[in-house]
Amino acid sequence: HFGAAVLIFTVFTYAYWHFQDSPHAFWISISVLVATCPCALGLATPSALTCAMANMNKNGVLLKRADALEQLTDISDIVFDKTGTLTCGEFSIEKMWFADETQGETLLSIASSLELRSEHPIAKAFSNSDIKENHHYINSFEVSVGKGISGQFDDDMYKLGSLNYVATSNQELLVHNIADASIVMTKNGKLVSAFWLVDKIKPGVLDVLSQLKDYKTSILSGDSERNVNSISQKLNIDVSYSQCSPAKKLETIQRLQREGKKILMLGDGINDAPVLAAADVSLAVGNASDLAKNAADIILLNPQLETLTFILSMAKRTKAKIKQNRIFWIILKTAIINNSASFAYAEYTF
């Protein structure tokens, strides 16, 4: 737009001096082009962004697209995945329940054999526990991303995962008082065991969140309501969404955007890739999966969140610097144009 306006103004300048029978009409119009050259304006934004990106790289932040810095200044909501982002992702089994206590050791061993084939962080809870593994031979093993796993052993089909995945009735859960379990396991569609898992909050996360008072914070997790609410209360997070499948996470982000909110999404897992791609700006922490890093706009080179406040601060400083550069350009060009006009008038009158 600026270039077009300059060319039109130059044409009118030439026409005016031409009809004044000035022999310098051409040179006056050329001086207009020189005086209004937008080089400084063109450099106002990229120079600020380049310096900001270099500074962020030194602090362990990889920016995949420069305009994400400008978009960060418009963010209204920050949404966190829980496991691996707010927490360490190092699960341990806190409590177990078995429909038949005499089969407890066998069921725990089968659950462990299933989880050994999974790459989800929850699997670590079973590998770290004191389980007498028989390494059961599992047939027809299948992974449902963000939901659970299933496999066949001795002609029996086992499903291990979220309550929605195993399709267990709420009434059955309430009868056994296990509705708040992290994951449950069924055998041929019948509930046989439940597990309560715990995960530690990352060091420094509470301090980081205390500095985000200007934003509305949320947790978007596939974990149980009990675990999500516990983390949310400990970290003073405004809103929590639990037991969310990848599709439900995406639906939640899109609903918030339809409400006019600008979303910064932080995640690390494979099932976070769709919401990372859909958010206005997305950030993958250092321990994120390759798929999450590929979908994110910004990548932290370490798993800690202390850098988040630095990124938001740098975005605000960069936008302020861009505005400052543009103001300096306007002042400079105004002075140059005035001087050029005075020179042209003096030449004409002389």
Side-chain angles (χ1 to χ4, degrees), residues 201 206 209 219 225-240:
I201 296 174
L206 185 58
L209 290 172
I219 293 182
E225 184 177 358
R226 169 178 171 266
N227 286 346
V228 173
N229 288 341
S230 174
I231 296 295
S232 179
Q233 291 173 5
K234 291 177 181 177
L235 298 177
N236 298 319
I237 290 178
D238 300 321
V239 183
S240 60

Side-chain angles (χ1 to χ4, degrees), residues 2 79 102 106 133 154 179 182-184 221 264 274 279 303:
F2 178 82
V79 181
T102 62
T106 300
E133 298 177 8
D154 285 348
S182 302
I183 57 174
V184 296
S221 175
L264 168 61

Side-chain angles (χ1 to χ4, degrees), residues 97-116:
W97 171 88
F98 302 102
D100 184 355
E101 291 294 337
T102 62
Q103 294 294 314
E105 186 174 312
T106 300
L107 292 172
L108 182 57
S109 182
I110 293 173
S112 176
S113 296
L114 285 168
E115 291 291 0
L116 282 174

